[in-house]
Amino acid sequence: ASMGRTVVELFYDVISPYSWLGFEVLCRYRHIWNIELRFRPAFLGGIMQQTGNKPPAMLPKRGEYLLKDMKRMAKYYQVPLHTSGNDFQRILGTNSLAAMRFITAIDMTNPQYLEPLSREFWMRFWSKHEDISQPESILAAARQAGISTELSQKALEMTSSPPVKDRLKETTAEAIKYGAFGMPAIVAYCDGEPQLFFGSDRLELLGSIIGE
């Protein structure tokens, strides 16, 4: 790590609203804390399936609470995440696999676009309540992120290729290896030991452990 910076990895999926909150806060703090922030796009569906986890909103009371919580967190962190009563149906009815493969393809070919592209997908799904699963909506997000038609077309073709599929599978498996059971999964390397923080509400604890 450069200049004794603490490596902090963010495993995320753009379908996860709390991943967006964690992403934006870490993006702000990477200039304040002595950290090297690494984005690790992974597949939430794979993590849920392999760990036997269930969507938290399956418990109605918890679902009610989560909508209020997301609203408060969005306001507090000034992230334009707009909740609506049918958010959980939208999540359950949307497969983020194509989007996460596309993001992975961009990460492998043009990583400088990884941050704006990921943000654009969250904006699309959580701010504008638009689709992120169809090729045309994926290309629209890429366009908004400033990616040329040529590059995004190439990345879209790569989404069905073994290297991209394998890379996403490997990243997802790595998150599980660190103990992840949901998103976001934040891994900080303290004294060479990886420490897992789940969710976007443990960031002050993360700061404290890395000496910030």
Side-chain angles (χ1 to χ4, degrees):
S2 53
M3 296 295 295
R5 286 180 182 274
T6 301
V7 173
V8 174
E9 294 191 293
L10 171 68
F11 292 88
Y12 66 93
D13 185 317
V14 293
I15 201 138
S16 155
Y18 288 102
S19 288
W20 189 15
L21 295 166
F23 171 89
E24 294 298 358
V25 177
L26 287 172
C27 281
R28 292 168 198 171
Y29 271 79
R30 70 182 153 186
H31 305 298
I32 302 164
W33 289 351
N34 189 27
I35 60 173
E36 184 188 322
L37 180 59
R38 294 180 188 167
F39 299 119
R40 305 296 308 278
F43 181 46
L44 179 57
I47 288 181
M48 299 296 272
Q49 195 184 2
Q50 290 176 55
T51 59
N53 195 358
K54 299 270 181 290
M58 294 294 228
L59 182 67
K61 278 289 172 206
R62 194 170 177 193
E64 264 173 55
Y65 173 78
L66 283 179
L67 282 175
K68 288 177 192 156
D69 185 55
M70 276 153 52
K71 203 175 213 157
R72 287 192 293 225
M73 294 271 281
K75 191 177 174 187
Y76 179 74
Y77 286 123
Q78 302 285 291
V79 174
L81 191 166
H82 303 304
T83 56
S84 71
N86 70 340
D87 281 338
F88 302 119
Q89 284 78 13
R90 284 174 61 236
I91 288 184
L92 293 173
T94 303
N95 190 334
S96 64
L97 186 58
M100 294 316 297
R101 279 181 181 161
F102 184 82
I103 289 168
T104 300
I106 289 292
D107 187 23
M108 290 167 78
T109 54
N110 297 275
Q112 72 273 24
Y113 290 115
L114 182 59
E115 183 186 328
L117 178 66
S118 300
R119 183 175 285 117
E120 214 44 65
F121 274 108
W122 275 306
M123 289 289 287
R124 233 184 128 73
F125 194 78
W126 286 104
S127 246
K128 304 171 189 161
H129 293 189
E130 289 174 9
D131 176 68
I132 56 164
S133 62
Q134 297 307 310
E136 57 273 19
S137 52
I138 288 172
L139 291 174
R143 197 164 51 243
Q144 286 293 122
I147 302 172
S148 74
T149 311
E150 190 187 355
L151 283 183
S152 47
Q153 205 55 57
K154 189 181 145 211
L156 193 63
E157 283 159 22
M158 284 174 67
T159 54
S160 53
S161 72
V164 168
K165 289 179 173 178
D166 291 346
R167 169 76 166 265
L168 184 59
K169 273 187 199 142
E170 281 157 19
T171 308
T172 305
E174 206 177 319
I176 294 169
K177 187 188 84 193
Y178 287 128
F181 49 88
M183 295 278 200
I186 299 162
V187 176
Y189 293 83
C190 310
D191 305 320
E193 283 296 306
Q195 295 222 26
L196 173 78
F197 297 85
F198 170 65
S200 56
D201 55 352
R202 289 291 180 270
L203 298 172
E204 67 279 24
L205 192 56
L206 164 68
S208 162
I209 280 178
I210 63 175
E212 294 288 356

